[in-house]
Amino acid sequence: MLLAVLRRAFDMVFVMFGISVIAFLIFFATPGSDPSARIAGRNATPEMLAQVRIAFGFDRPLYVQYGRLMQRLFIAQDLTSFVNRGQKVVPAVLQATPVTLCLVFGAAVIWLTAGISLGIVATVFRGTIIDKSLMLLALAGVSMPVFWVGSVMNLITQSRFHDTWLFSWVPGLGYTSFFESPSLWFKTLVIPWFTLSVLFIGLYARVLRASLSESYQEDYVRTARAKGLSESRIMVRHALRTSLITLLSMFGLDFGALVGGGAILTEVVFNLPGIGRLTYQALQNLDLPFIMATVMYSTFFVVLANALVDVAYAWLDPRVCDAR
Amino acid sequence: MSDNILEIRDLTVGFRTEQGPVEILKGVSFDVKAGEIVSVVGESGSGKSMTSLAVMRLITDPNAMISGTIRYKGRNLPGLSAREMRKLRGRQIAMIFQDPMTALTPVHTIGWQIAEQMRVHLGLGAKVARKRSVELLGKMGIPDPERAYDRYPHHLSGGMRQRAMIAMAISCDPAILIADEPTTALDVTVQAQILDLLQDLRREYGSSIILITHDMGVVSTIADRVLVMYSGRIIEHGAKSDLLDKPQHPYTLGLMRSIPPMTGERPRRLPSIPGSPPLPGKRPEGCSFRPRCEFSFSKCSAVPPLYRCNEQFAACFLAEHGSHQWQRNLAEERTAK
Ligand SMILES: Nc1ncnc2c1ncn2[C@@H]1O[C@H](COP(=O)(O)OP(=O)(O)OP(=O)(O)O)[C@@H](O)[C@H]1O
Ligand code: SF4
Ligand SMILES: [Mg+2]
């Protein structure tokens, strides 16, 4: 057990190292992406450029630059922005994390509940009009781009219908911490939650529907019927229990990616100061320290989610432990 | 009459398909007495599984058309509500399937699956159900049943899984056990053990067993009575000894000739009678065995009814007047061996 954990941890460090090197090379060493030019500004004289280059250490060999960057990011934690001088990277990331966590966690509750319910209902009514219309609806959900849904939501709740009783409760864009005002926190997040869930509700409902109807073709469901079990028991204890394995691994990966900054569009549209928006701003300004930090951060969550999914998988699917 | 525990009359199963309706079973009628082992034989596609699924009302295809009566202890199964039927399944009539590899839910332990059935039907508590499951596993000859209870299906060999399936099927002491080719997926030595187990069950619990098989060797080992199916009909039935000694229907004769030698490897499928059975949609007019029958004659363009000869019934015009030349030949072949 301890060995497995250690191996996991080692894998994680290794992957993060690899990603950091790649990201570093892309942003610092690609020809034409000279960071000092950006820092010095558009009308910089060659002297100023040279000065910046020395001040920021861009004249040093790449591996030294990489080492210093990593040292300042992880050990000293005093890495500062290239764009907003003096803004420290690590506290900014730590500040953005709870926002993203709140957003993704709330959305996950919604999409799991709705996605699983829809998948089950569609399977129970498989072949009927109910099944078909639900699956069509789910497909629509999958096909709608998040930023479009978000913008429409904003249009409806912030301007068009904001003055009606329906949406007058919706606060302006932005984020309020839970500890400041729980009710305001909830109100600012409800609409982003639903916006972010739409895609996943559709996706999970369709995947579950497919997986469940596959289960229903299996011999063991016939056995369960032959045993005289009720339909609901067959669904929950036999078909769904088996399909959950697929769904869970999907969920882990999606959740990890979203916490790692994958909710970027939702955060930007609703002006939520989370990791996604931080990444977005960093990319817009080509603010390299921030880019490196957010890349590392999201890698961490994606790899962590992967590890957790593997553990959960072995726990849900008894066939897995033996295969390894 | 009254010792019939199951009476099937005119069971007909068809499916609506794109090429129009096809009839899979045509007027299947037979009885099962308490405590007897009835064997259903026939080539692939003859409708053996369909018959058993129809009895259990497990044909879930929405395009199925099912008619006929199936009386279990006097109650007509097709007329029961889904709920009443559920109470019967697994409790009064239990079923085991051909492939023990896929017939158990992979994410639950075998013990849990056996206990589940007893908890649902007998309302047992978790502890009692567990204890009884362990006992059953032990009775089925599974070594170390206490540990086997907590094993998942993929931990067990095919033979062990089939034993677990049987343990599950008999857990609520059903009056009828339908076994659809329970040994086909297993190797020969395991086959023999499973057959022994089924015979023990009959002796110990007095349950009737409907044993579906391809294998005339299996039939000659354990059956009391034999039903021979061909293209969706029962074409011959009778007591095992009668049927094996003097088959009335040429198809049964063909099957008999294919009984493998008592020693050595048993082939998986029967050595074939020349030709192959017609597809359900393309059955010939008259006797459906006609294209493959070496004795066919003018009369055979009509559908032969079941002719009775003592306690033996055969759907062949040759059986109209009793024994035939080929029966004598068969007897000679036997004595020569
Ligand atoms: N849903 C369906 N629609 C149409 N035809 C079907 C359907 N299900 C089964 N059949 C047909 O019913 C026929 C009888 O099948 P069945 O499984 O009863 O045969 P069997 O005697 O058990 O054969 P085997 O020895 O291969 O198990 C087959 O020809 C099959 O193609
Ligand atoms: S009825 Fe005719 S064709 Fe059919 S089995 Fe008998 S002899 Fe052969
Ligand atoms: Mg079959």
Side-chain angles (χ1 to χ4, degrees):
Chain A
M1 185 60 209
L2 188 71
L3 200 74
V5 171
L6 278 178
R7 210 182 55 194
R8 275 281 163 208
F10 176 79
D11 283 356
M12 217 155 143
V13 170
F14 185 78
V15 170
M16 287 183 67
F17 171 73
I19 299 273
S20 70
V21 169
I22 293 170
F24 177 80
L25 289 178
I26 289 174
F27 289 107
F28 284 77
T30 318
S33 77
D34 182 7
S36 38
R38 285 193 69 83
I39 295 166
R42 199 168 296 162
N43 306 318
T45 59
E47 291 79 37
M48 280 170 73
L49 257 178
Q51 223 175 350
V52 166
R53 194 164 285 146
I54 290 164
F56 281 84
F58 296 134
D59 54 337
R60 315 280 291 273
L62 274 177
Y63 65 89
V64 175
Q65 285 186 44
Y66 172 80
R68 269 178 42 121
L69 189 76
M70 288 296 125
Q71 192 269 336
R72 291 189 65 194
L73 180 57
F74 284 108
I75 298 165
Q77 307 199 342
D78 63 349
L79 192 64
T80 52
S81 161
F82 283 176
V83 179
N84 305 315
R85 300 288 168 78
Q87 191 195 5
K88 286 206 176 146
V89 168
V90 176
V93 168
L94 290 183
Q95 225 179 356
T97 308
V99 181
T100 302
L101 276 177
C102 290
L103 171 67
V104 176
F105 196 81
V109 170
I110 295 175
W111 95 59
L112 280 182
T113 320
I116 292 180
S117 320
L118 288 184
I120 290 179
V121 170
T123 311
V124 168
F125 293 100
R126 59 191 175 285
T128 68
I129 187 90
I130 299 179
D131 172 25
K132 281 178 192 137
S133 36
L134 281 183
M135 283 303 106
L136 211 65
L137 211 66
L139 186 64
V142 175
S143 324
M144 285 192 296
V146 172
F147 62 87
W148 182 80
V149 176
S151 306
V152 170
M153 287 292 222
N154 271 341
L155 188 71
I156 294 173
T157 62
Q158 298 287 344
S159 57
R160 286 293 156 76
F161 296 97
H162 186 70
D163 297 330
T164 67
W165 58 272
L166 210 62
F167 292 116
S168 54
W169 55 269
V170 180
L173 295 181
Y175 179 75
T176 312
S177 156
F178 179 80
F179 300 106
E180 239 169 78
S181 158
S183 69
L184 203 57
W185 170 84
F186 185 80
K187 286 178 192 165
T188 45
L189 280 177
V190 167
I191 291 175
W193 280 339
F194 276 98
T195 306
L196 183 58
S197 336
V198 167
L199 162 74
F200 294 101
I201 293 174
L203 200 63
Y204 280 52
R206 288 185 70 89
V207 168
L208 184 62
R209 161 77 171 76
S211 165
L212 279 179
S213 39
E214 213 170 275
S215 293
Y216 269 86
Q217 302 295 319
E218 297 277 356
D219 287 356
Y220 60 76
V221 166
R222 193 181 56 185
T223 306
R225 285 221 174 83
K227 281 165 85 173
L229 307 183
S230 65
E231 281 301 314
S232 59
R233 196 179 177 93
I234 294 173
M235 167 62 89
V236 175
R237 288 311 186 92
H238 293 268
L240 185 64
R241 176 62 181 71
T242 317
S243 299
L244 274 188
I245 298 167
T246 323
L247 217 62
L248 183 97
S249 55
M250 236 172 86
F251 175 71
L253 300 183
D254 286 339
F255 192 82
L258 286 180
V259 171
I264 182 165
L265 294 171
T266 312
E267 289 181 9
V268 171
V269 170
F270 292 102
N271 202 21
L272 297 170
I275 292 293
R277 209 184 59 153
L278 208 61
T279 313
Y280 172 77
Q281 286 165 346
L283 283 170
Q284 258 193 338
N285 305 328
L286 263 184
D287 192 350
L288 295 179
F290 265 99
I291 292 178
M292 284 308 289
T294 50
V295 165
M296 285 294 84
Y297 171 92
S298 69
T299 312
F300 173 77
F301 273 103
V302 170
V303 177
L304 183 69
N306 260 300
L308 290 180
V309 163
D310 280 354
V311 172
Y313 215 100
W315 171 67
L316 263 184
D317 189 345
R319 288 164 295 186
V320 172
C321 354
D322 308 2
R324 264 197 240 147
Chain B
M1 177 69 206
S2 56
D3 60 346
N4 286 339
I5 192 161
L6 188 71
E7 292 178 353
I8 299 176
R9 290 291 171 273
D10 261 326
L11 177 63
T12 297
V13 175
F15 289 94
R16 287 179 282 267
T17 67
E18 277 149 32
Q19 289 87 44
V22 289
E23 284 205 313
I24 305 298
L25 296 182
K26 275 185 274 187
V28 169
S29 305
F30 67 94
D31 299 328
V32 178
K33 293 185 181 51
E36 77 173 341
I37 299 184
V38 175
S39 198
V40 182
V41 284
E43 281 166 302
S44 199
S46 53
K48 308 183 295 293
S49 300
M50 203 54 79
T51 309
S52 57
L53 291 177
V55 170
M56 292 290 274
R57 279 184 47 191
L58 285 178
I59 301 176
T60 46
D61 191 323
N63 290 314
M65 302 172 290
I66 305 169
S67 65
T69 58
I70 301 166
R71 291 197 176 275
Y72 168 77
K73 293 188 175 165
R75 297 162 82 192
N76 185 24
L77 300 189
L80 296 185
S81 70
R83 199 188 157 77
E84 288 171 310
M85 193 61 213
R86 253 199 330 264
K87 280 197 193 149
L88 230 99
R89 276 190 210 126
R91 177 72 187 85
Q92 306 283 343
I93 310 179
M95 187 156 180
I96 30 185
F97 297 98
Q98 171 170 349
D99 193 350
M101 297 297 166
T102 53
L104 289 161
T105 307
V107 294
H108 296 300
T109 63
I110 55 162
W112 186 89
Q113 298 188 51
I114 298 170
E116 181 187 33
Q117 183 160 349
M118 288 191 278
R119 292 169 67 177
V120 166
H121 285 299
L122 310 178
L124 299 186
K127 274 218 186 97
V128 186
R130 181 183 173 108
K131 196 168 145 273
R132 290 199 30 193
S133 307
V134 171
E135 281 169 19
L136 278 167
L137 287 171
K139 265 194 194 152
M140 295 305 112
I142 294 182
D144 198 357
E146 190 68 52
R147 272 189 57 215
Y149 181 98
D150 289 316
R151 316 219 71 185
Y152 289 94
H154 68 279
H155 288 137
L156 304 176
S157 68
M160 287 300 147
R161 282 191 224 190
Q162 198 60 294
R163 284 166 200 263
M165 274 298 287
I166 297 175
M168 189 159 84
I170 64 159
S171 62
C172 301
D173 195 9
I176 303 179
L177 179 65
I178 304 179
D180 189 351
E181 309 199 28
T183 59
T184 308
L186 307 175
D187 63 50
V188 189
T189 42
V190 184
Q191 273 187 22
Q193 293 165 0
I194 298 287
L195 292 180
D196 283 347
L197 190 60
L198 288 177
Q199 272 174 308
D200 290 347
L201 285 182
R202 187 256 300 265
R203 214 169 301 134
E204 200 170 325
Y205 297 88
S207 25
S208 313
I209 299 178
I210 301 178
L211 179 75
I212 294 172
T213 179
H214 273 111
D215 191 338
M216 286 303 271
V218 171
V219 174
S220 63
T221 329
I222 86 167
D224 298 322
R225 231 147 40 80
V226 184
L227 304 171
V228 183
M229 288 194 73
Y230 186 78
S231 58
R233 287 174 198 272
I234 291 181
I235 50 103
E236 179 157 12
H237 69 95
K240 174 181 74 177
S241 50
D242 293 344
L243 198 123
L244 295 195
D245 286 344
K246 41 182 183 60
Q248 300 282 326
H249 196 288
Y251 179 65
T252 315
L253 176 74
L255 292 180
M256 298 285 311
R257 285 191 177 137
S258 69
I259 296 185
M262 278 318 196
T263 52
E265 182 96 346
R266 265 187 206 142
R268 227 155 224 268
R269 298 261 147 172
L270 298 173
S272 58
I273 300 163
S276 54
L279 295 174
K282 302 205 174 69
R283 287 171 185 161
E285 298 275 300
C287 175
S288 51
F289 189 55
R290 187 158 60 130
R292 300 167 73 188
C293 181
E294 47 186 313
F295 306 101
S296 68
F297 58 111
S298 55
K299 240 181 172 175
C300 305
S301 54
V303 179
L306 268 181
Y307 290 109
R308 179 175 180 154
C309 166
N310 302 324
E311 285 308 302
Q312 199 176 345
F313 297 80
C316 169
F317 290 113
L318 291 177
E320 199 173 353
H321 308 293
S323 292
H324 330 296
Q325 186 56 42
W326 49 261
Q327 283 183 5
R328 256 160 266 147
N329 292 349
L330 184 72
E332 278 159 26
E333 251 173 61
R334 285 263 173 92
T335 45
K337 256 185 204 165

